Amino acid sequence: MKSDWDFKFLQKYDDKICELSKDNKLDWFDIQYEVCDYYSMIGHMSYHGMPTHYGHWSFGKRFERTHQMYNLGMEGLPYELIINSDPSIAYLMRENPAYMQILIMAHCVGHSDFFKNNAKFKHTRPGSVIQRMRSAKKRIQGYVENPNIGIEKVEKFMDAAHAIQFQTYRSSVVRQTNRQYKEKIIRSVLDVNPSEALDLDEIDIFQPEHNILKFLRENAKLRPWQQDILEIIESESQYFLPQMKTKIMNEGWASFWHYRMCHQLELESKFHIPILKTHNQVIRPHVGGLNPYHIGFELFRRIEERHGLEECFIARETLEDTSFISNYLTEKDCRDLGLFTFSKKKYKNKTSKFVIDKISDEEDWKLVKNTLVRNVGSNSIPVIFVDGIDVGNTLILQHEHDGRDLDLAYADEVVRHISYLWGGEVKFFTVVEGDTWEI
Amino acid sequence: MSTFKEHKSVADRSASDRSRHKKKIEEAIKDGIHHIVSDESIIGKDGKKKFKIPVRGIKEYRFVYSDNSQNPKAATAPGKNIQKGQQIGKASDESEAQGTGDKASNEKGEEFYEVEITLEELAYYLFNDLELPDLEKKTIKNITGNKYQRHGYRPKGIRPRLDKKKTAIQRIKRKAAQKAESLGAEDDESFPYRESDLTYRHIREVKKHSSNAVIFFIMDISGSMTQQKKFLARSFFFLLYQFINQRYKTLDVVFVSHDTQAYEVSEEQFFQRGSSGGTIVSSALKKVDEIICQRYHPDAWNIYTFQCSDGDNWPDDMDSMIESAQILQQKCQLYGYCEIDPDSERMKWISSMSKVSEEFEKLKSKNFKIAKIYTKNDIWTAFKKLLGSSEVLS
């Protein structure tokens, strides 16, 4: 199939889009577009879009899954794939028609602007991410090829580390050192009871540690290669976490701008009409699900209507999905989106069905909204922290129960993984149906 | 200003990660396969039948919330008239369908691969990577015979093996060569065959390596063999059949069931027959010996006998049973006895009876093995014990 566009075409529309973006006060990294076929596209998708990334079978699995879905026609390929780097690398699929490329380029500027300006991304170091990924790949490859280590060991170790990859800090606040933490505790004790004689070095206070990978790296008996792998995975989650936290905002912002700019471009109707069609497809609501493009786009659109464009820019700079929804989603929005909550009900005959619990009516819309907030961004990851080391070198882990029970079968396996990394016994405490539960 | 370039494609970058993933799936198949061996009807299936094996996806475990009723999720349905308590289908996770280059969501996905494999592949997975040391050398003797095989061409030979085509080719070659030498003159001269054109097919004698095998399956169908025990026996026989079938060109299977008398029966009858009588094991062994004498001479056949029973035998029959078993042992490559005993609480009067396995202990040797099955999970172990290494033997 001959495509109806060439590089000159792309360049021409990119110039227009860049100009418009500047007028719109968007502030983005330069974008480096790479034109590739669909097979490479899936290839890159499997590695989170990274042009270079360490290998692990789970990426192979992701590839197979996407490839299979694509072949079954269940899943369209993503309209755009852009990574948080400086310059931003974006992929354009060769098979896409001309109008689609215009839409995608406008969309990509939105993403790149978001990467560059949202506070959550402050510490992602986009300028060096490619080098870091390349170095990580080389190091891991080295361990795989090392006759004393080898693929089996590396893989087993990585499987375990991946299981707790996102059990880390929710925000990028600078941590206290253990000593600072102790001092703070002691001070608070002395405030109440000044006669208490407390020696900083004698008392043993454990500061809860939420970054489990970091804790293990620093405290478990590990070989240098194992520490290195933990470090790689840990730093990768710091890099990707902001994207998980801002999925709705990020997609909403990019869709908000592609929609706006495709109007501003005053395209001929042979482009504009299919663009509108595609746009509607992208932001369509997923009935019975959540389409981040849909929710994000709707919210930004409404914020602009209610508070002006300036407010949109402030939101994109300061918020993440949870606060974005908390701050801006109104009762009317809930109703317009048809937001509802549902859960699995088990019946006596052992079948289970999903049943609608609450809908966005006057009485329940806040509940529904809260449920939404609890299920987006980092709220979808249970909070687990290291609570100390017990006698016999037993690692104590706590789950910060927030009313939601964990899937125990999964927790069981994860604890096994942690125990493998720790090289000793692990006790894990959570709450199940109101009672303490220990794994 | 953005830049544009052709993507320099890394040659299929995920290839090695995919092959690692595939390997993991294969391992999972091997794990999952034990479940199906106890379900399928044995024998008579051609290699084409496909088995569906559910393989638990290679999961990536994370801490995730359970999906019980106290963990509600939110979803949208704009413009739809929804009500509390309304049932909805399984929610799709379409939201994952599109995306920028970001991380996989933290949701646990239902990952279930259903792998379809043929019986042949099934056998491959079951047996090939299995560590059964020296299995074939020790227990599977190949009866060797001679046969003739084509082996190139020779200028001399007997008339019936003259290869006319090759001979003609030889003549044409010679003609062409001569023509080239004589620079194309004398074209219409006749050009007869010569002795040297004649080419014969050559054959040589080779040793025949694989041959025929026969399996005797003996099952106790007396009253004490319950459906459950028969089910275990059936699964066990299935494995044995598949294993031996892989190694021989032709395989005969003879089913012998017995209570106080033995009968040669068809496969269906073998597994369906129930009777309420007592048990005389020797009757079956004698029957097998009789069939061997009539149809399967030990010099021409690899004979395997596998017996499943719940271990009960008429006390008076024990001596006779041992005697018959000894005779069979000499004629068989392998005599495997498997005791099926799924009842943990046996009735007193039964447990006071002596067990066949106890009697058979005396005969234990390289080609006489004993295994026990209590539950479905023991089938595989028993199988390995019967066909596996000789560590249990001294």
Side-chain angles (χ1 to χ4, degrees):
Chain A
M1 190 184 79
K2 185 99 176 65
S3 46
D4 54 351
W5 51 268
D6 54 17
F7 275 30
K8 236 171 85 189
F9 173 91
L10 297 179
Q11 197 77 62
K12 178 179 138 198
Y13 280 93
D14 178 69
D15 287 346
K16 290 186 187 180
I17 289 168
C18 287
E19 198 146 318
L20 267 175
S21 303
K22 256 176 239 156
D23 295 344
N24 285 317
K25 301 210 167 53
L26 290 175
D27 167 29
W28 70 106
F29 298 125
D30 285 338
I31 299 175
Q32 185 182 314
Y33 290 102
E34 301 199 6
V35 175
C36 68
D37 60 16
Y38 107 93
Y39 199 79
S40 330
M41 190 82 166
I42 310 178
H44 295 311
M45 275 170 67
S46 317
Y47 296 87
H48 320 302
M50 290 295 146
T52 173
H53 195 277
Y54 65 77
H56 184 257
W57 60 266
S58 56
F59 305 117
K61 169 175 138 184
R62 199 159 300 153
F63 182 96
E64 298 291 5
R65 184 172 171 266
T66 319
H67 191 55
Q68 197 180 9
M69 297 254 218
Y70 183 81
N71 284 342
L72 293 173
M74 280 161 73
E75 187 169 336
L77 275 184
Y79 296 101
E80 96 297 337
L81 184 54
I82 180 165
I83 64 167
N84 168 29
S85 59
D86 180 13
S88 292
I89 297 173
Y91 300 96
L92 297 175
M93 205 160 80
R94 189 167 292 125
E95 290 85 346
N96 283 340
Y99 74 86
M100 188 84 97
Q101 310 293 22
I102 300 173
L103 177 76
I104 290 169
M105 290 191 291
H107 191 87
C108 282
V109 173
H111 275 309
S112 186
D113 169 86
F114 195 88
F115 291 142
K116 194 174 172 186
N117 293 286
N118 184 277
K120 299 291 156 213
F121 289 81
K122 276 270 151 18
H123 302 283
T124 54
R125 293 182 287 154
S128 64
V129 62
I130 308 289
Q131 290 92 306
R132 281 182 282 147
M133 295 278 170
R134 185 175 296 123
S135 150
K137 179 187 179 172
K138 273 191 188 150
R139 274 139 69 199
I140 288 179
Q141 187 61 30
Y143 304 138
V144 167
E145 284 163 8
N146 185 330
N148 294 322
I149 306 171
I151 179 86
E152 299 293 337
K153 280 188 195 163
V154 170
E155 207 166 68
K156 187 164 185 213
F157 194 80
M158 291 181 85
D159 288 354
H162 277 165
I164 47 170
Q165 176 161 27
F166 294 106
Q167 298 304 328
T168 182
Y169 309 127
R170 304 294 147 130
S171 59
S172 44
V173 179
V174 181
R175 301 288 124 186
Q176 296 170 315
T177 64
N178 227 1
R179 194 174 178 87
Q180 284 167 332
Y181 181 76
K182 271 193 202 175
E183 281 167 356
K184 198 179 107 191
I185 299 270
I186 289 171
R187 229 177 293 126
S188 65
V189 173
L190 291 178
D191 282 349
V192 184
N193 188 1
S195 62
E196 197 92 40
L198 292 171
D199 183 358
L200 191 63
D201 296 316
E202 271 177 25
I203 56 161
D204 188 27
I205 302 170
F206 189 88
Q207 178 181 200
E209 176 59 70
H210 285 77
N211 188 340
I212 304 179
L213 284 177
K214 175 168 170 262
F215 180 86
L216 291 169
R217 183 163 55 80
E218 290 168 354
N219 297 285
K221 282 198 195 81
L222 295 171
R223 295 176 185 284
W225 68 268
Q226 295 174 318
Q227 287 175 335
D228 191 34
I229 287 180
L230 289 190
E231 215 262 312
I232 287 168
I233 294 176
E234 188 193 327
S235 80
E236 188 167 300
S237 43
Q238 296 304 330
Y239 172 80
F240 282 117
L241 207 59
Q243 293 182 38
M244 292 174 73
K245 284 179 180 170
T246 57
K247 175 91 181 158
I248 291 173
M249 285 188 79
N250 206 336
E251 295 304 351
W253 186 249
S255 304
F256 178 79
W257 282 106
H258 79 226
Y259 182 69
R260 208 175 173 86
M261 291 200 284
C262 286
H263 276 293
Q264 292 168 338
L265 278 170
E266 292 171 352
L267 297 162
E268 331 161 38
S269 61
K270 74 164 177 172
F271 289 145
H272 202 190
I273 289 166
I275 280 181
L276 287 178
K277 266 191 186 161
T278 308
H279 167 77
N280 286 332
Q281 182 69 11
V282 170
I283 61 136
R284 78 190 187 283
H286 292 168
V287 174
L290 291 174
N291 179 1
Y293 293 76
H294 168 228
I295 297 170
F297 177 79
E298 281 298 322
L299 257 184
F300 271 118
R301 197 175 63 78
R302 283 153 197 253
I303 293 169
E304 195 209 349
E305 260 174 35
R306 289 168 194 157
H307 312 282
L309 189 59
E310 197 49 41
E311 185 93 3
C312 294
F313 274 92
I314 295 169
R316 81 94 154 80
E317 199 171 316
T318 54
L319 302 180
E320 59 183 296
D321 285 353
T322 48
S323 45
F324 183 59
I325 291 168
S326 296
N327 291 5
Y328 292 110
L329 193 75
T330 65
E331 183 182 350
K332 179 175 185 304
D333 298 337
C334 287
R335 226 178 331 217
D336 289 351
L337 295 176
L339 266 182
F340 64 93
T341 68
F342 65 95
S343 60
K344 206 177 190 173
K345 293 280 175 295
K346 290 210 173 80
Y347 295 99
K348 281 198 182 117
N349 58 359
K350 283 188 178 163
T351 58
S352 57
K353 289 221 169 75
F354 287 109
V355 173
I356 296 180
D357 293 320
K358 303 263 190 277
I359 57 171
S360 295
D361 51 22
E362 211 172 325
E363 192 184 342
D364 287 332
W365 74 270
K366 277 188 177 156
L367 263 168
V368 172
K369 178 177 160 180
N370 283 342
T371 305
L372 173 65
V373 171
R374 286 177 93 176
N375 283 293
V376 299
S378 51
N379 280 356
S380 59
I381 308 168
V383 178
I384 316 287
F385 61 90
V386 181
D387 200 24
I389 302 169
D390 220 352
V391 277
N393 206 34
T394 304
L395 188 70
I396 308 295
L397 295 173
Q398 292 277 2
H399 167 221
E400 244 175 65
H401 196 268
D402 60 356
R404 290 179 286 178
D405 289 356
L406 294 181
D407 183 305
L408 290 176
Y410 269 62
D412 216 38
E413 295 291 336
V414 179
V415 169
R416 200 166 302 160
H417 279 314
I418 298 174
S419 169
Y420 174 73
L421 297 173
W422 175 240
E425 214 153 300
V426 173
K427 272 191 189 158
F428 176 76
F429 295 94
T430 179
V431 174
V432 175
E433 287 167 4
D435 292 323
T436 314
W437 184 279
E438 183 187 327
I439 292 179
Chain B
M1 254 302 273
S2 314
T3 54
F4 293 88
K5 65 175 189 182
E6 253 336 296
H7 176 67
K8 273 188 248 115
S9 71
V10 191
D12 199 2
R13 65 184 291 201
S14 63
S16 72
D17 286 339
R18 292 208 308 275
S19 80
R20 290 298 299 175
H21 178 229
K22 202 175 153 216
K23 220 177 141 192
K24 289 209 163 266
I25 290 188
E26 279 182 2
E27 279 163 19
I29 293 177
K30 275 181 230 155
D31 285 346
I33 223 156
H34 306 255
H35 302 297
I36 76 153
V37 298
S38 33
D39 293 334
E40 291 299 331
S41 141
I42 90 166
I43 316 178
K45 304 280 175 252
D46 55 13
K48 300 286 180 318
K49 177 172 165 63
K50 294 213 165 178
F51 294 82
K52 276 197 176 145
I53 304 182
V55 179
R56 280 175 73 201
I58 320 298
K59 279 191 183 138
E60 294 163 78
Y61 293 99
R62 309 244 198 262
F63 285 115
V64 288
Y65 291 114
S66 81
D67 57 1
N68 61 15
S69 54
Q70 37 118 359
N71 292 356
K73 294 239 156 54
T76 55
K80 296 269 189 292
N81 184 23
I82 48 169
Q83 262 135 29
K84 283 185 211 176
Q86 189 180 332
Q87 277 186 4
I88 48 177
K90 205 173 146 40
S92 68
D93 32 35
E94 257 185 310
S95 52
E96 277 179 59
Q98 305 154 330
T100 48
D102 69 352
K103 269 307 221 195
S105 76
N106 211 44
E107 301 272 303
K108 58 167 188 175
E110 268 309 310
E111 299 172 69
F112 236 85
Y113 296 77
E114 205 165 61
V115 180
E116 264 201 349
I117 62 173
T118 62
L119 199 58
E120 231 165 80
E121 288 166 315
L122 175 78
Y124 169 84
Y125 280 124
L126 275 177
F127 308 125
N128 274 41
D129 281 350
L130 209 64
E131 285 172 27
L132 297 175
D134 295 335
L135 175 83
E136 281 162 84
K137 275 183 231 154
K138 278 187 183 153
T139 55
I140 300 189
K141 184 182 78 181
N142 290 313
I143 291 174
T144 50
N146 293 330
K147 62 171 186 174
Y148 293 97
Q149 207 176 40
R150 290 263 296 274
H151 187 75
Y153 299 91
R154 293 283 187 282
K156 294 258 175 342
I158 54 169
R159 198 73 184 168
R161 295 204 197 107
L162 177 70
D163 190 316
K164 288 174 189 147
K165 196 173 161 192
K166 286 273 179 200
T167 303
I169 291 170
Q170 281 302 323
R171 177 179 159 271
I172 293 164
K173 275 185 184 170
R174 191 163 51 82
K175 190 175 173 184
Q178 200 180 63
K179 218 166 135 191
E181 240 169 65
S182 60
L183 299 164
E186 307 163 73
D187 216 12
D188 43 27
E189 199 183 313
S190 81
F191 198 84
Y193 280 98
R194 283 196 194 159
E195 190 73 29
S196 64
D197 294 334
L198 302 184
T199 305
Y200 299 89
R201 287 187 287 267
H202 186 63
I203 58 169
R204 66 172 180 178
E205 214 176 33
V206 288
K207 284 214 164 122
K208 219 173 12 174
H209 279 296
S210 65
S211 179
N212 312 316
V214 57
I215 309 179
F216 289 93
F217 284 139
I218 306 171
M219 187 157 68
D220 179 357
I221 52 158
S222 65
S224 55
M225 279 296 274
T226 58
Q227 274 305 320
Q228 196 192 353
K229 289 180 191 176
K230 274 192 210 162
F231 176 75
L232 289 173
R234 181 194 180 111
S235 309
F236 188 60
F237 286 153
F238 169 74
L239 268 187
L240 290 165
Y241 172 80
Q242 286 306 330
F243 184 74
I244 291 168
N245 191 27
Q246 262 211 322
R247 278 152 182 83
Y248 291 99
K249 267 190 189 157
T250 52
L251 179 63
D252 276 14
V253 182
V254 179
F255 297 95
V256 174
S257 55
H258 72 90
D259 39 43
T260 54
Q261 283 180 53
Y263 319 86
E264 187 184 347
V265 294
S266 71
E267 185 192 340
E268 277 99 274
Q269 289 169 332
F270 186 66
F271 290 110
Q272 278 162 15
R273 256 180 102 104
S275 113
S276 51
T279 318
I280 295 178
V281 175
S282 68
S283 66
L285 306 186
K286 280 178 188 144
K287 181 82 187 175
V288 170
D289 191 39
E290 188 190 312
I291 297 169
I292 290 175
C293 291
Q294 283 169 5
R295 282 147 45 191
Y296 302 102
H297 193 275
D299 288 351
W301 292 83
N302 294 288
I303 300 169
Y304 295 87
T305 306
F306 297 107
Q307 183 186 357
C308 272
S309 131
D310 58 358
D312 298 337
N313 192 18
W314 213 243
D316 291 347
D317 184 50
M318 286 301 186
D319 291 339
S320 169
M321 174 190 85
I322 292 287
E323 201 181 301
S324 311
Q326 260 170 332
I327 296 171
L328 278 184
Q329 185 189 355
Q330 281 161 16
K331 294 183 179 176
C332 291
Q333 298 297 344
L334 180 67
Y335 187 103
Y337 171 73
C338 184
E339 199 156 284
I340 295 178
D341 185 15
D343 310 316
S344 50
E345 290 173 51
R346 296 173 58 79
M347 284 184 289
K348 279 237 172 70
W349 70 274
I350 295 177
S351 61
S352 65
M353 279 169 76
S354 72
K355 292 287 210 162
V356 174
S357 59
E358 285 158 23
E359 295 292 321
F360 272 163
E361 282 291 318
K362 302 169 202 162
L363 297 178
K364 239 181 172 183
S365 69
K366 276 198 171 168
N367 70 340
F368 194 100
K369 296 195 180 179
I370 301 170
K372 287 190 181 178
I373 297 176
Y374 299 95
T375 69
K376 247 166 97 169
N377 301 332
D378 299 325
I379 293 174
W380 189 240
T381 329
F383 173 79
K384 284 201 276 196
K385 199 168 170 189
L386 286 199
L387 290 167
S389 67
S390 47
E391 91 235 295
V392 282
L393 312 165
S394 49

